[in-house]
Amino acid sequence: MNETQLLEVSQKLKSIIRSVPNFPKEGIVFRDITTLLKDKEAFKLAVDTFYQKYKDMKIDKVVSVESRGFIFGSVLAYLLGAGFVPIRKPGKLPAEKIRQEYQLEYGTDAMEVHIDAIQPGDKVLVHDDLLATGGTVSAACKLIERLGGEVVGICFLIELSFLNGRERLKNYDIFSIVKYNSEQEL
Protein backbone atom coordinates (compact mmCIF):
# COMPACT_ATOMS: atom_id res chain seq x y z
CA MET A 1 0.00 0.00 0.00
CA ASN A 2 1.45 3.35 -0.98
CA GLU A 3 1.29 6.57 1.07
CA THR A 4 -1.71 7.95 -0.83
CA GLN A 5 -3.71 4.76 -0.27
CA LEU A 6 -2.74 4.69 3.41
CA LEU A 7 -3.88 8.31 3.80
CA GLU A 8 -7.25 7.42 2.24
CA VAL A 9 -7.63 4.46 4.61
CA SER A 10 -6.62 6.63 7.55
CA GLN A 11 -9.16 9.32 6.71
CA LYS A 12 -11.96 6.77 6.24
CA LEU A 13 -11.25 5.03 9.54
CA LYS A 14 -10.78 8.31 11.41
CA SER A 15 -14.23 9.41 10.23
CA ILE A 16 -15.72 6.27 11.83
CA ILE A 17 -13.86 6.31 15.17
CA ARG A 18 -15.94 8.11 17.78
CA SER A 19 -14.26 10.90 19.75
CA VAL A 20 -15.72 11.32 23.25
CA PRO A 21 -14.72 14.63 24.91
CA ASN A 22 -13.94 14.73 28.63
CA PHE A 23 -13.71 10.95 29.09
CA PRO A 24 -12.42 9.37 31.27
CA LYS A 25 -11.69 12.81 32.77
CA GLU A 26 -11.94 16.50 31.94
CA GLY A 27 -9.70 17.59 29.04
CA ILE A 28 -9.20 14.10 27.58
CA VAL A 29 -10.73 13.08 24.25
CA PHE A 30 -11.30 9.31 24.31
CA ARG A 31 -10.92 7.51 20.96
CA ASP A 32 -13.72 4.94 20.95
CA ILE A 33 -13.05 2.14 18.46
CA THR A 34 -16.37 0.35 19.06
CA THR A 35 -17.86 2.37 16.20
CA LEU A 36 -15.17 0.96 13.89
CA LEU A 37 -15.54 -2.59 15.22
CA LYS A 38 -19.30 -2.72 14.59
CA ASP A 39 -18.85 -1.48 11.00
CA LYS A 40 -17.95 -4.65 9.07
CA GLU A 41 -16.37 -2.76 6.17
CA ALA A 42 -14.26 -0.51 8.42
CA PHE A 43 -13.17 -3.44 10.60
CA LYS A 44 -12.17 -5.42 7.51
CA LEU A 45 -10.33 -2.41 6.06
CA ALA A 46 -8.31 -1.97 9.25
CA VAL A 47 -7.43 -5.68 9.48
CA ASP A 48 -6.57 -5.87 5.78
CA THR A 49 -4.30 -2.82 6.11
CA PHE A 50 -2.33 -4.49 8.90
CA TYR A 51 -2.21 -7.78 7.00
CA GLN A 52 -0.90 -6.16 3.81
CA LYS A 53 1.88 -4.48 5.79
CA TYR A 54 3.11 -7.67 7.49
CA LYS A 55 2.10 -10.62 5.25
CA ASP A 56 5.60 -11.20 3.85
CA MET A 57 7.55 -10.90 7.10
CA LYS A 58 7.29 -14.53 8.31
CA ILE A 59 5.97 -13.54 11.73
CA ASP A 60 6.06 -16.33 14.35
CA LYS A 61 3.97 -14.63 17.04
CA VAL A 62 1.69 -11.64 17.34
CA VAL A 63 1.76 -10.20 20.85
CA SER A 64 -1.00 -7.90 22.04
CA VAL A 65 -1.46 -5.87 25.16
CA GLU A 66 -4.62 -6.20 27.26
CA SER A 67 -7.35 -5.74 26.31
CA ARG A 68 -8.41 -3.87 23.17
CA GLY A 69 -5.19 -4.95 21.50
CA PHE A 70 -6.47 -8.52 21.65
CA ILE A 71 -9.23 -7.73 19.13
CA PHE A 72 -6.99 -6.94 16.17
CA GLY A 73 -3.97 -8.90 17.40
CA SER A 74 -5.71 -12.27 17.41
CA VAL A 75 -7.28 -11.73 13.99
CA LEU A 76 -3.94 -10.60 12.59
CA ALA A 77 -2.18 -13.64 14.05
CA TYR A 78 -4.73 -15.91 12.39
CA LEU A 79 -4.31 -14.24 9.00
CA LEU A 80 -0.50 -14.29 9.25
CA GLY A 81 -0.44 -17.96 10.27
CA ALA A 82 1.24 -16.97 13.54
CA GLY A 83 0.63 -17.76 17.17
CA PHE A 84 -1.13 -15.22 19.37
CA VAL A 85 0.31 -14.20 22.75
CA PRO A 86 -1.63 -12.06 25.21
CA ILE A 87 0.26 -9.79 27.59
CA ARG A 88 -1.87 -9.30 30.69
CA LYS A 89 -2.15 -7.22 33.80
CA PRO A 90 -0.68 -8.86 36.93
CA GLY A 91 -2.56 -11.83 38.33
CA LYS A 92 -4.44 -12.74 35.14
CA LEU A 93 -2.16 -15.49 33.78
CA PRO A 94 -2.30 -18.93 35.47
CA ALA A 95 1.09 -20.47 34.66
CA GLU A 96 4.70 -19.45 35.31
CA LYS A 97 5.29 -15.95 34.04
CA ILE A 98 7.67 -13.00 33.99
CA ARG A 99 6.75 -9.45 34.93
CA GLN A 100 7.81 -6.04 33.63
CA GLU A 101 7.07 -2.81 35.47
CA TYR A 102 6.73 0.53 33.69
CA GLN A 103 6.22 4.15 34.67
CA LEU A 104 2.87 5.89 34.63
CA GLU A 105 2.32 9.61 35.01
CA TYR A 106 1.77 9.03 38.74
CA GLY A 107 3.39 5.76 39.86
CA THR A 108 4.05 2.43 38.20
CA ASP A 109 2.13 -0.45 36.67
CA ALA A 110 3.17 -3.88 35.41
CA MET A 111 2.33 -6.54 32.87
CA GLU A 112 3.09 -10.23 32.57
CA VAL A 113 3.56 -12.95 29.98
CA HIS A 114 3.90 -16.72 30.32
CA ILE A 115 7.54 -17.83 30.19
CA ASP A 116 6.79 -20.35 27.43
CA ALA A 117 4.89 -17.88 25.20
CA ILE A 118 7.92 -16.74 23.19
CA GLN A 119 10.76 -18.98 22.06
CA PRO A 120 14.30 -17.71 21.45
CA GLY A 121 14.53 -16.44 17.88
CA ASP A 122 10.77 -15.95 17.40
CA LYS A 123 9.97 -13.05 15.08
CA VAL A 124 7.35 -11.07 16.94
CA LEU A 125 4.91 -8.43 15.81
CA VAL A 126 3.48 -6.34 18.67
CA HIS A 127 0.00 -4.88 18.28
CA ASP A 128 -1.94 -2.48 20.47
CA ASP A 129 -4.97 -0.41 19.61
CA LEU A 130 -3.45 2.94 20.56
CA LEU A 131 -0.03 4.55 20.90
CA ALA A 132 -0.01 7.31 23.51
CA THR A 133 3.20 7.66 25.53
CA GLY A 134 4.55 4.23 24.54
CA GLY A 135 4.98 2.93 28.09
CA THR A 136 2.89 -0.22 27.86
CA VAL A 137 4.27 -1.29 24.50
CA SER A 138 7.83 -0.54 25.59
CA ALA A 139 7.28 -2.86 28.56
CA ALA A 140 5.79 -5.50 26.23
CA CYS A 141 8.89 -5.33 24.00
CA LYS A 142 11.13 -5.79 27.04
CA LEU A 143 9.19 -8.92 28.04
CA ILE A 144 9.52 -10.35 24.52
CA GLU A 145 13.25 -9.63 24.39
CA ARG A 146 13.82 -11.11 27.87
CA LEU A 147 12.36 -14.36 26.49
CA GLY A 148 14.67 -14.24 23.46
CA GLY A 149 12.15 -13.00 20.89
CA GLU A 150 12.93 -10.45 18.19
CA VAL A 151 10.48 -7.56 17.84
CA VAL A 152 10.27 -7.09 14.07
CA GLY A 153 7.47 -4.51 14.14
CA ILE A 154 4.95 -2.67 16.27
CA CYS A 155 1.56 -1.66 14.91
CA PHE A 156 -1.26 0.50 16.19
CA LEU A 157 -4.70 1.33 14.91
CA ILE A 158 -4.44 4.83 16.43
CA GLU A 159 -1.46 7.02 17.25
CA LEU A 160 -1.72 10.13 19.40
CA SER A 161 1.37 11.69 17.82
CA PHE A 162 1.27 14.80 20.06
CA LEU A 163 2.21 12.58 23.05
CA ASN A 164 5.49 11.54 21.34
CA GLY A 165 5.18 7.81 22.06
CA ARG A 166 7.38 7.05 19.05
CA GLU A 167 10.32 8.55 20.89
CA ARG A 168 10.15 5.85 23.57
CA LEU A 169 9.96 3.19 20.81
CA LYS A 170 12.52 4.75 18.45
CA ASN A 171 14.56 1.54 18.11
CA TYR A 172 11.61 -0.32 16.55
CA ASP A 173 9.75 -0.25 13.24
CA ILE A 174 6.42 1.43 14.04
CA PHE A 175 3.29 1.50 11.89
CA SER A 176 0.03 3.24 12.71
CA ILE A 177 -3.04 3.69 10.53
CA VAL A 178 -4.83 6.67 12.09
CA LYS A 179 -2.95 9.63 13.58
CA TYR A 180 -4.26 12.42 15.77
CA ASN A 181 -1.96 15.45 15.93
CA SER A 182 -3.67 17.15 18.88
CA GLU A 183 -5.87 16.14 21.82
CA GLN A 184 -8.73 18.28 20.56
CA GLU A 185 -8.67 16.96 16.98
CA LEU A 186 -12.02 15.33 16.26
Side-chain angles (χ1 to χ4, degrees):
M1 178 176 293
N2 65 39
E3 287 297 317
T4 302
Q5 292 168 318
L6 181 58
L7 183 58
E8 289 172 10
V9 168
S10 176
Q11 290 170 338
K12 170 133 177 86
L13 297 181
K14 187 185 262 189
S15 74
I16 294 168
I17 295 167
R18 179 174 22 218
S19 294
V20 182
N22 301 314
F23 184 83
K25 62 183 183 177
E26 188 72 29
I28 301 292
V29 178
F30 183 78
R31 307 306 175 174
D32 179 11
I33 66 169
T34 62
T35 51
L36 183 150
L37 297 173
K38 72 178 182 178
D39 181 321
K40 64 183 177 185
E41 291 176 8
F43 183 56
K44 184 178 185 325
L45 181 59
V47 170
D48 288 347
T49 301
F50 288 130
Y51 175 72
Q52 289 302 317
K53 170 79 175 164
Y54 296 105
K55 66 180 181 178
D56 297 323
M57 291 187 65
K58 296 180 175 44
I59 306 290
D60 296 306
K61 305 275 174 51
V62 175
V63 167
S64 290
V65 178
E66 186 170 330
S67 66
R68 291 180 307 190
F70 295 173
I71 298 165
F72 286 99
S74 59
V75 173
L76 191 53
Y78 170 77
L79 291 174
L80 293 171
F84 175 73
V85 175
I87 290 189
R88 306 285 318 262
K89 295 179 187 290
K92 302 281 188 177
L93 294 172
E96 190 176 352
K97 55 204 157 277
I98 60 171
R99 175 186 184 106
Q100 182 68 47
E101 291 191 354
Y102 60 99
Q103 287 297 127
L104 297 171
E105 189 175 353
Y106 302 104
T108 61
D109 204 349
M111 56 183 49
E112 298 176 335
V113 67
H114 282 135
I115 62 166
D116 60 356
I118 305 291
Q119 302 304 308
D122 276 351
K123 291 186 177 194
V124 180
L125 174 63
V126 178
H127 172 77
D128 202 0
D129 69 310
L130 184 134
L131 172 59
T133 63
T136 57
V137 170
S138 176
C141 291
K142 288 175 183 168
L143 286 170
I144 293 161
E145 291 165 348
R146 284 172 56 195
L147 293 173
E150 176 190 358
V151 177
V152 296
I154 305 173
C155 61
F156 302 93
L157 176 63
I158 299 169
E159 178 178 352
L160 304 179
S161 59
F162 59 92
L163 294 177
N164 301 315
R166 277 182 185 257
E167 182 60 30
R168 185 176 267 171
L169 303 170
K170 63 185 173 190
N171 295 326
Y172 300 102
D173 180 45
I174 301 167
F175 175 71
S176 60
I177 299 175
V178 176
K179 292 182 180 145
Y180 291 92
N181 297 313
S182 76
E183 181 70 54
Q184 301 312 315
E185 184 179 346
L186 299 176

